[in-house]
Amino acid sequence: MIVRVWSSLTLFSYLCLLWSHGVQLDPTAWTNSSNLVPWFLAFSSTINAAEYEAFAAAAILSAKENAANLEPHLLYIDGAESNFTQWCEEQGVVVHLHTLTFDSPFSNAAKMVGGNSMYYSMAKGAFARLDVAHIYRAWGGQSEYVLYTDCDVLFFSNPVPFTMHKASVVAIGPQHVRGTKTNTGVLWIHVDRWLAVWPTFRRYLIKQNWTGHSFEQELFLDFFQPFSAQLDDAWNYKPYWQAVNETIVIGHFHGPKPKRCLDE
């Protein structure tokens, strides 16, 4: 299979078009497997809603088409029931209307970023990855591992579950340089190990004076380097790599988003 930037952009546009026209795929697509992989994606309801709803819808539709071994969950931050959450539930997605469990440190965050409410809304959606393990166990989930992705992804094949070394809490993939642990947009998380280390990580964030005024990726990477495994590039594949004859699991539109690429 030859994978090019344009082909993935076209697929993204096609899936967004299906969503905008109310097209639904088979709602039983995620219920026929006895070994489903819990998958979480998240965004804040207060950000540019239409754009991020389109991202999430495209991810959901691509997963239903190409990754039927997933049990999909949406963390909808600071949101209420809406036409979009109803659509998600009709697709078989478990919707969690959620407020960050660590929201209190952000009380002055908007002031610290100069009143940039767009940043603050986007950031809260990204910070939700820190709550995934808590939400999953509180919901009653029993799986040993969960998959987290940003909402600007497409699934091209089933994510095959794998076991990490007992010292690893999370598997992390690449940002720009392949084969590195440098991007938190796709994470393979061991639930119980995460819950065990979370209080220590929370204290670390506080010690670093992190109050939500910037993305936490660098602090995340610094803290978890000794406790992480390498996530295969195929799970956090970037369209700009333009590799040939590779099997891709998850394509991640890190950086410029598909609509911007098509507009330019």
Side-chain angles (χ1 to χ4, degrees), residues 149-213:
T149 73
D150 288 349
C151 59
D152 54 343
V153 302
L154 293 177
F155 284 84
F156 290 86
S157 60
N158 281 322
V160 178
F162 62 93
T163 301
M164 294 188 293
H165 185 274
K166 63 182 181 180
S168 295
V169 176
V170 61
I172 305 169
Q175 185 144 301
H176 299 295
V177 180
R178 305 188 64 168
T180 61
K181 294 187 285 186
T182 47
N183 182 262
T184 55
V186 180
L187 300 171
W188 181 242
I189 302 169
H190 189 284
V191 178
D192 290 340
R193 294 174 198 162
W194 177 279
L195 295 175
V197 79
W198 167 248
T200 304
F201 182 42
R202 176 91 179 260
R203 288 193 295 271
Y204 170 79
L205 292 175
I206 294 171
K207 185 177 180 180
Q208 299 298 317
N209 297 316
W210 182 73
T211 55
H213 58 285

Side-chain angles (χ1 to χ4, degrees), residues 20-87:
S20 67
H21 284 74
V23 175
Q24 298 184 23
L25 301 180
D26 179 6
T28 66
W30 278 316
T31 63
N32 296 328
S33 172
S34 61
N35 190 28
L36 296 177
V37 175
W39 162 48
F40 281 77
L41 73 166
F43 67 93
S44 171
S45 64
T46 56
I47 198 174
N48 185 348
E51 182 177 18
Y52 277 77
E53 286 175 2
F55 293 165
I60 290 165
L61 291 175
S62 71
K64 293 192 73 170
E65 184 73 15
N66 299 319
N69 70 330
L70 295 176
E71 175 187 81
H73 296 252
L74 171 67
L75 292 185
Y76 197 48
I77 308 303
D78 297 338
E81 293 181 356
S82 65
N83 290 338
F84 178 68
T85 62
Q86 180 181 348
W87 177 87

